[in-house]
Each structure stands twice: as structure tokens, then as C-alpha cells.
Amino acid sequence: MRRSKAETEDTISKLIEIARVHFTEYGYANTALESIVLEANMTRGAVYHHFRSKKELFRIVLEDVQREVAAKVEQEASTSEDEWEQLYLGCRAFILAAVEERNRRIMLIDGPAILGWEVWREMDTNHSMRLLRGQLSQMQDKGYLSRVPLDVTTHFISGGLNETALWLANESEQPDALNETMKALAVFLGGFKQNS
């Protein structure tokens, strides 16, 4: 019996969500494809019909995480009309989303380790970095941002955000870590302001 396109999409979505839970709880190395198959109530062959390997399934899950984080960045930044506040809110949203339990291991730890930095960076470039560069470009066009090369500045800020998220993920026991991070973020971003 042929499955409809909607049924196929539902099956794929279900597999991705189940896999995301497993990759979050157990990490890539300790996630067994058989466990995902069992929970999805499917055969191994049915899973391989949609995904060639556990690694491909993980790549799709990571892409989903990157897309979700970028959506949170955009949503949070859009709550303000002020360009500097938009930049701050977007960067803050990125850090907070990256360290969420359901994102942290997949996005910050296993993603670069399993797929390699080149693939990870390409995903980051297509999602959060794209939004960051767009915001910086708009601010520079309006004279709010120092005349610094946009590509360098985008990578500089993005790299700092990724490293900060990694650090913050490991400092969850420190009660002031989040507040200190956000204060430092505001000061750091302020350094790019165009001097009048």
C-alpha cells in the first residue's frame, strides 16, 4: 500500500523528534538506531528508507535544532524597534537557546564532533549567522555600527557567542553565570558602536 505524502512527512517528523530525544539524553555515541526504531514502532528497513544511516539522521536533527534556534533569535530580536537592542536580544536568545537541555549536546558538543566543523559551520552560516550578518549590515548602513568588515565582524561575534554558550553550559551550577554573561555581552556589543 502506497503512503501519502502527508503520511510520509508525519513518519519522518516522528523519527526526527524521537531521535532528537535520544541524541539529547544519550549523546550520539550511546544512541542506538534500534532504540529509535523500537520507540517509533517501525522496522529498521522503514527507517533506512528515509535515512541512510544514524549519522544522516543526526545531521537532519542538528539542522532542525539550528533552524529552531535561529527562529528563536529572530523572534526575540523582533520584540524591539531599537537596532542595538535587537542585536543584543538576538545574541542573548542565541545563547539561551543553545544551552537549552534539548539543544546543548546536539548543537554544541556532538554536532561539530560527529559531522565536522565544516558541516557544522555551514549550518550555522545558513541559520543564526545569516541573521546576525543581516542585522549588522542593516546597522552599518544606518551608521550605527563602526565601519568594520562585516564578514570578519559576523564571524568574530558568532564565534564569541558559540564559545560563550559552551562555557555557560558548563557553568550551570554557578548562580551568577547567566547574569554575568549577559552583562559582558552588552559591553562587548557596545564596543562595535559607531563613535559620534
Side-chain angles (χ1 to χ4, degrees), residues 42-193:
M42 294 179 189
T43 65
R44 193 176 172 99
V47 174
Y48 279 121
H49 176 72
H50 300 293
F51 305 100
R52 290 186 306 264
S53 64
K54 181 172 96 167
K55 190 172 182 178
E56 183 186 2
L57 178 56
F58 179 78
R59 186 187 63 75
I60 299 295
V61 169
L62 175 59
E63 184 87 45
D64 218 41
V65 170
Q66 291 272 16
R67 193 178 299 109
E68 186 179 291
V69 169
K72 287 183 178 180
V73 167
E74 200 163 27
Q75 179 184 5
E76 197 59 35
S78 70
T79 62
S80 176
E81 296 294 319
D82 178 79
E83 279 85 357
W84 279 105
E85 191 172 16
Q86 288 172 354
L87 179 62
Y88 171 79
L89 290 172
C91 291
R92 182 179 190 278
F94 174 85
I95 292 170
L96 292 175
V99 300
E100 278 181 26
E101 191 62 37
R102 68 185 250 118
N103 300 333
R104 178 176 55 215
R105 177 180 264 170
I106 294 169
M107 185 174 162
L108 301 175
I109 300 165
D110 284 349
I114 302 305
L115 300 176
W117 280 106
E118 195 171 308
V119 171
W120 189 92
R121 278 193 189 108
E122 185 180 335
M123 283 188 192
D124 191 40
T125 299
N126 293 335
H127 298 290
S128 297
M129 274 183 66
R130 175 183 54 81
L131 297 174
L132 176 60
R133 192 184 193 290
Q135 180 70 22
L136 293 173
S137 176
Q138 179 183 313
M139 292 172 71
Q140 197 170 65
D141 289 347
K142 292 182 177 180
Y144 298 139
L145 188 71
S146 297
R147 282 280 159 198
V148 291
L150 281 180
D151 285 337
V152 173
T153 306
T154 302
H155 281 85
F156 194 82
I157 294 173
S158 178
L161 293 174
N162 287 321
E163 186 59 33
T164 299
L166 273 170
W167 175 80
L168 192 58
N170 292 320
E171 294 295 318
S172 57
E173 300 302 313
Q174 300 298 324
D176 294 330
L178 182 60
N179 286 336
E180 289 172 359
T181 296
M182 297 312 163
K183 285 179 191 172
L185 175 64
V187 172
F188 173 74
L189 293 176
F192 291 98
K193 281 189 178 181

